[in-house]
Structures are given as C-alpha cells and as structure tokens.
Amino acid sequence: MSEETKRPRDFIREIVTADCAAGKNAGRVVTRFPPEPNGYLHIGHAKSICLNFGIAQEFGGVCHLRMDDSNPLTEDPEYVQAIIDDIRWLGFDWKDKLFYASDYYEKLHEFAVRLIEKGKAYVCDLSADEIREYRGTLTQPGKESPYRNRSIEENLDLFRRMRAGEFPDGSRVLRAMIDMASPNLNMRDPVLYRIIHAPHYRRGDAWCVYPTYDMTHGQSDSIEGITHSICTLEFEDHRPLYDWLIDEIGLPCHPQQIEFARLNLTYTVMSKRKLLILVDEGLVSGWDDPRVPTIRGLRRRGYTPEAIRSFCERIGVAKANSVVDIALLEHCLREDLNKRAPRVMAVLDPVRVVIENYPADRFEELDAVNNPEDEAMGSRKIPFSRVLYIERDDFREDPPKKFFRLAPGREVRLRYAYYIRCERVVKDARGEVVELRCTYDPETRGGWSPDGRKVKATIHWVSASHAVPAEVRLYEHLFTNPNPGDEADDGDFKRSLNPNSLRVLKGCQVEPSLASAAPGSIFQFERKGYFCVDTKDSAPGKPVFNRSVTLKDIWARIEQKGGAQAEE
Ligand code: ATP
Ligand code: MG
C-alpha cells in the first residue's frame, strides 16, 4: 500500500488508525452494521454500510451484521431477508458474523437483574405520559418517580413478575437509576425494559418484556466484542448512557461509540417511517418503486453497486450534518454507466419518416458501435429500410434559430446510416404532423459524405418494420421541494409530492436487439439517457424500460438561456 492510500480519509479512520498504532484492543478492528428489521434499507444506510464494512476491510478486521431486533411490533422476517440481500448486492460480506440482538435476550435480562441487584435499576409504575412529564425539559430538571425508592427485593420480585406475564402492557417498566437532574435527558432514569405481550418474529412467545434500544445496543456491541461502534449523530447524547450501562453492568468489553453525520439528500425523504407512509398509502408502488431511495428502488431504477459505493466514497464522512445534492448521486451513476452501458437506439415519441427514394422491398444492415468508451464491447448490425421512426421533437416545421435538426428542406445525419433531407410534411386533419417524406443520399452510407459536405445534426432512428414496441417510464424527483416537509410544506412532506415524478410512455419504438433484453440490464438510449429493463413488468417481446438517469441535455440549456450557443 502506498503512503497516499494509507492516509486516513476521515476522522473515524483517523481514530481507528491511532487506536491500532497504540495497540488498543490488541490491534483488532471489529465494527458492525446494526439495522432494525422494520423496513427496507435506503441510501442513508448504504453510507453506514460502506463506512462500517469499508473500515473493517481496510484494517484487516471484520464487520458484523446484526439485526437490532428488540421491538416485536414492527419487525418482520421479510425485512431481515431484504436487508441480507441488499447488503450482499452492495458487495459486502460478513462471513459467518450474522447476529440477532434477539438471541441476546437471556443475557440482557441477566444484565438487567444485575443492575437491580446493584441498586441501579428499579421498577416504575408511572404511565408513559407521566414518565414524560416527570422527565422535565432541557431547561427544567426532572422529578423523581415515587417508585424510585422501592427495595431491591421488591424490584427483583416485580421484575420477575413482569417477565412472568403477570402485568398488562404499559403498566410497569424497568428504569435505570441515574440522575433526574442530569442536564442530559437520556440520563434521567431511562427506561430499560417495557412489557409488550406480542409474539416476536424469532423468539415467538418466549418473552413479554423487551429491552429498549439503549438497553440492547451497547450491550450487544459488548457481547460481540465490537471495538468501534459507529453510529449517527442523533446518538451522541446517548453516549453517556451507552458508557454508563456497560460500566455499571460490569462488562469486560467496552466498545468506543463514535458518531458521524447521517446522509440527507435533496428532494428525498429517507426515514423508514416516512417511506412506510408512502408505501402504505399507495403513493408509490412499493419499497422497490424506482423513485424511492431504498436500495431496492435504486436497484430497480438501474443503479449499480459500483455507483452507490462511489457516491458513498465521494460524500465522505463528517461530524456536521449537511444535505447532499441528489445531482451528485445521479452524477455517480452516469459516470459508472458511461463505461459499461451498451449504446442502442430507441425512439420515445415516434413520428414516421418515409424515404421516398429507398425501395420498399429493400432492407440492409448497418454497423453500429456498442460503446465508444470501450472498444471491447464490439459492434452490432442494425436494420435500415424505407420507413423509419425518429423523435417527434427532432423535427420542427418552423425551426428556431439554433435548432439544427430536421426541418423542411434541411439535411441531417441518421446515426450509423445516411444523410436524409426532408422534402415534405404530411399532416392530419387537426394539423398534427403524421409523416415526414424524405430522400436519402446513397453515397453517405455509414454517415459520411464523400463530397465532404457537412450536416449540423445527427439524430437517432429505428426501422419501423423491425422496431419493437416498448413502454418507457420516465422519472423526476419524487418531491418538488428540495427539503420535503419543511416550513414551505407546513411540516407535511406529502404536500410536495411531485405529480410528474412518473411519466409512462406507451408507444415507444426500440431497436430489435432489445426485444429480449434481460431484466435488469442497462443501456444508453442514444441522446435520451440511461435505461434499464424493469425487473418486474418487462416481458420478452414486450420490454419495459426505466430511465435511470438522463444525459446532460444541452438543448434544454440553450433554450433556457435563450439560445446563445450552438447545438452539438
Ligand atoms: P431511519 O431513521 O431511516 O428509519 P434508522 O436509524 O431508524 O433509520 P436503523 O435500522 O436503526 O434505521 O439503522 C441502521 C444503521 O444505519 C444505524 O447505525 C443508523 O445510524 C444508520 N443510518 C440510518 N440512516 C442513516 C443515514 N441517513 N445516514 C447514515 N447512516 C444511517
Ligand atoms: Mg434506528
């Protein structure tokens, strides 16, 4: 490894490097990614996954995958499986280190008993509302619970009976006895156990008391021998409690909790709670809707693991919260697909072109390059014949100044084919253009004229009798507001849902090589963007494509600026 690549890239890697140099944890590095299986993973999780698995890889350590499953009401094996699949797909491996916090329930219970025995935890009969009221605020100290002075024996007995199922949900909790006057609200006798009479997806009816996040998380880290417990900033205020619990329980392994800023993206919501609302209310088609930022959604949209990993690398890891422009994510995808996506021709909004001097009974095959970025991808044959389709907006009857594409009397190049000239426009009764009558120059086969005359535009096309009809889905951001749910939305993120986030085009015509393209495969439709074959709705002969990301649209920029620059 060169000096350059050895230099830590962020403050967390700096800490780990220093710890290793100092021989802390005997030089071991053990991280973990701890999702709660109550929803699908999203791009924010990918940041944490890349960080935790990345650090383990770089320091010769290991990263555990742990399901942080301590709430029977929201967790589901469907989510467990999806989490496992998604992390594998992203390209990370936990070897045999897949764990479940729910496997630690016995140990955690033992820890709780230990705290009671030490006089560091007590059973409290206040209701949830009362506990909140007693907790005080940032400016006001809390009030001690009237149940705080129960004897150790009484606490042990009540906790035993809680566990035995003698009490209804919400009637009692186990709380840590710390300090109701602490400036840190998390230290004001936090709840450690609550009664929930509900079967757990893995433990069935074995338990009716469940540990809270705080009681579960640090102790699970310690049980697994985690060295660096990396989490997001909102847990910074929980760190004193994390440390307190490990110390008071007396656990031998004390992982170091380090917090970093979570990923926020413009025009996106990321919390599982909000994503669940979108899914449950049918505002998107599911967790894998190509518009949502779940790994599933991104994958169906055409994102590659490489693009996501490169994005996570580029955004880096910092200590201050910020919002990343979604354009960067798109940029990373474009950059990756540019290298690997075969180029093809697809006409999204077709208008018929008839080449009057090309015989009706003739057709020929022309050579087309598969990827100018990668010679090894070779070339293919594309059929050419008398009747073609081109994009409706590649023709203007009355072209504006900087418009160099097809117009009456004007010549353009058909990509990989010939120069054609528009001779005549055929319209229907409503004045809509239905057909362009053109002529071609047989001398320009392949797209070059022996007399050296220039054309200013090259457009894509397909042969009408060979083309395959296709459905194409175009996407925009799911929200119109860069920060959905802010004041402009009166706090309701659903207000800025973008009504145009999905546009379905039914009458598209794509080149014949795409008829049986494999689901999930990715193409560049020349001049139109990167598209992938939908993994759910596409069928052989009836392909459905999702636009993954657009190409930069130079013409749109010129139109925006009022036309200062020539078209490419
Ligand atoms: P959400 O708030 O989206 O529902 P969560 O934090 O409740 O997410 P968990 O399953 O608990 O979801 O998250 C697992 C891990 O992923 C945690 O360590 C968490 O800190 C991290 N994580 C979650 N969201 C982000 C994000 N936006 N950026 C970075 N890391 C994240
Ligand atoms: Mg969480």
Side-chain angles (χ1 to χ4, degrees):
M1 215 188 251
S2 74
E3 282 309 308
E4 183 59 29
T5 49
K6 254 198 291 185
R7 189 144 18 99
R9 291 196 304 273
D10 55 64
F11 78 99
I12 298 183
R13 286 171 166 91
E14 250 163 50
I15 294 173
V16 177
T17 305
D19 286 350
C20 289
K24 198 174 163 189
N25 308 305
R28 280 179 321 123
V29 174
V30 186
T31 57
R32 85 284 170 271
F33 175 67
E36 184 179 3
N38 61 355
Y40 284 76
L41 298 181
H42 51 60
I43 182 78
H45 292 117
K47 175 177 180 180
S48 177
I49 291 167
C50 290
L51 180 60
N52 280 293
F53 282 93
I55 285 182
Q57 265 169 17
E58 286 158 42
F59 290 85
V62 44
C63 179
H64 297 184
L65 170 57
R66 182 198 320 139
M67 299 300 158
D68 212 352
D69 51 359
S70 57
N71 183 353
L73 302 176
T74 54
E75 294 156 8
D76 195 296
E78 175 195 336
Y79 297 134
V80 172
Q81 198 48 54
I83 289 169
I84 287 177
D85 292 346
D86 286 348
I87 303 176
R88 284 235 169 84
W89 177 81
L90 276 172
F92 296 104
D93 180 22
W94 48 89
K95 310 257 164 41
D96 58 344
K97 306 294 184 193
L98 169 61
F99 299 110
Y100 295 84
S102 54
D103 285 345
Y104 306 144
Y105 284 174
E106 281 74 12
K107 280 189 188 153
L108 297 173
H109 179 262
E110 204 186 298
F111 296 162
V113 170
R114 219 185 279 178
L115 288 172
I116 299 172
E117 285 170 348
K118 276 182 75 178
K120 296 290 182 182
Y122 63 98
V123 173
C124 179
D125 301 0
L126 293 179
S127 68
D129 285 341
E130 288 167 328
I131 289 181
R132 205 169 308 124
E133 215 181 284
Y134 275 59
R135 184 177 297 136
T137 62
L138 283 173
T139 50
Q140 273 181 324
K143 249 186 350 191
E144 293 191 352
S145 160
Y147 303 98
R148 204 176 197 256
N149 299 315
R150 278 174 163 155
S151 69
I152 290 174
E153 289 66 39
E154 191 184 359
N155 280 319
L156 284 171
D157 180 59
L158 285 172
F159 190 52
R160 183 186 55 75
R161 291 166 61 196
M162 278 169 66
R163 157 132 186 53
E166 285 186 30
F167 310 120
D169 288 6
S171 58
R172 293 196 156 92
V173 292
L174 183 74
R175 299 175 69 175
M177 193 182 301
I178 310 181
D179 178 8
M180 289 308 290
S182 169
N184 183 336
L185 294 177
N186 293 297
M187 299 300 270
R188 294 183 187 171
D189 292 9
V191 173
L192 303 180
Y193 264 89
R194 60 258 204 254
I195 302 172
I196 307 175
H197 288 273
H200 186 269
Y201 78 100
R202 290 187 78 245
R203 302 303 310 268
D205 292 323
W207 292 86
C208 63
V209 288
Y210 290 91
T212 54
Y213 170 85
D214 288 312
M215 183 61 196
T216 310
H217 196 80
Q219 286 52 256
S220 301
D221 281 349
S222 178
I223 289 169
E224 292 178 13
I226 301 301
T227 56
H228 299 85
S229 177
I230 302 165
C231 63
T232 34
L233 275 183
E234 68 273 23
F235 293 106
E236 194 167 18
D237 290 345
H238 291 241
R239 181 161 19 102
L241 177 55
Y242 183 102
D243 292 335
W244 186 92
L245 282 166
I246 290 180
D247 289 341
E248 292 297 340
I249 295 167
L251 298 175
C253 166
H254 195 137
Q256 179 182 2
Q257 179 180 307
I258 307 168
E259 308 85 15
F260 69 99
R262 62 197 294 127
L263 168 66
N264 299 298
L265 268 184
T266 54
Y267 301 102
T268 310
V269 295
M270 208 109 77
S271 107
K272 281 185 275 188
R273 188 183 59 79
K274 289 179 183 165
L275 293 174
L276 190 60
I277 292 174
L278 295 176
V279 172
D280 279 351
E281 295 186 10
L283 299 167
V284 295
S285 68
W287 287 101
D288 64 351
D289 187 301
R291 292 168 294 177
V292 296
T294 54
I295 306 296
R296 295 273 148 135
L298 293 168
R299 194 171 160 177
R300 190 165 167 203
R301 176 80 169 256
Y303 272 79
T304 58
E306 289 83 356
I308 295 177
R309 292 202 305 261
S310 142
F311 170 72
C312 290
E313 173 102 359
R314 250 188 248 194
I315 55 175
V317 176
K319 192 99 197 161
N321 275 316
S322 65
V323 183
V324 174
D325 193 327
I326 197 165
L328 178 60
L329 179 62
E330 293 172 349
H331 172 80
C332 292
L333 179 61
R334 221 176 260 125
E335 200 175 62
D336 184 44
L337 298 186
N338 181 42
K339 288 179 277 178
R340 65 169 83 212
R343 274 56 170 169
V344 293
M345 294 202 282
V347 178
L348 305 190
D349 182 14
V351 66
R352 259 167 76 92
V353 167
V354 178
I355 315 277
E356 291 184 320
N357 57 341
Y358 197 92
D361 57 355
R362 196 168 128 203
F363 104 96
E364 64 190 302
E365 288 192 311
L366 299 164
D367 286 316
V369 173
N370 286 334
N371 188 347
E373 299 286 320
D374 182 1
E375 222 173 284
M377 289 175 72
S379 65
R380 68 190 184 287
K381 298 279 184 199
I382 44 173
F384 184 88
S385 64
R386 178 179 161 91
V387 183
L388 313 172
Y389 292 117
I390 65 165
E391 296 286 352
R392 185 166 287 278
D393 71 0
D394 278 339
F395 171 80
R396 297 280 174 94
E397 192 170 16
D398 189 11
K401 202 156 154 247
K402 301 282 177 182
F403 185 92
F404 297 123
R405 291 169 268 170
L406 202 58
R410 184 174 300 166
E411 195 171 45
V412 296
R413 175 189 297 114
L414 293 179
R415 182 83 157 142
Y416 302 120
Y418 295 97
Y419 290 5
I420 59 166
R421 177 188 309 279
C422 178
E423 309 292 349
R424 203 151 44 84
V425 183
V426 181
K427 295 185 185 171
D428 65 10
R430 284 176 303 142
E432 277 268 337
V433 175
V434 289
E435 195 173 279
L436 303 171
R437 307 295 290 192
C438 299
T439 52
Y440 86 118
D441 176 356
E443 297 298 311
T444 58
R445 194 174 199 270
W448 305 102
S449 167
D451 66 10
R453 78 179 184 277
K454 293 230 161 52
V455 289
K456 279 192 172 158
T458 303
I459 64 175
H460 62 278
W461 54 275
V462 292
S463 163
S465 57
H466 301 90
V468 177
E471 177 177 321
V472 170
R473 298 169 183 174
L474 303 181
Y475 301 101
E476 288 178 16
H477 301 325
L478 188 50
F479 296 92
T480 51
N481 182 349
N483 181 22
D486 68 6
E487 314 81 60
D489 290 331
D490 276 336
D492 178 5
F493 73 97
K494 287 191 285 180
R495 284 215 183 169
S496 58
L497 270 168
N498 178 1
N500 302 318
S501 60
L502 168 63
R503 239 174 74 216
V504 179
L505 308 179
K506 296 269 189 193
C508 311
Q509 298 282 346
V510 303
E511 67 170 67
S513 69
L514 292 173
S516 51
S521 47
I522 297 163
F523 300 91
Q524 186 194 99
F525 288 2
E526 295 212 15
R527 303 173 62 228
K528 288 290 158 188
Y530 294 97
F531 292 76
C532 78
V533 182
D534 190 70
T535 44
K536 267 196 176 159
D537 303 331
S538 202
K542 284 186 171 174
V544 176
F545 295 92
N546 296 313
R547 179 151 69 190
S548 314
V549 66
T550 57
L551 302 169
K552 276 168 229 143
D553 187 351
I554 289 156
W555 178 247
R557 250 190 287 155
I558 291 173
E559 274 189 333
Q560 246 171 10
K561 286 193 211 146
Q565 223 179 310
E567 186 182 3
E568 267 186 8

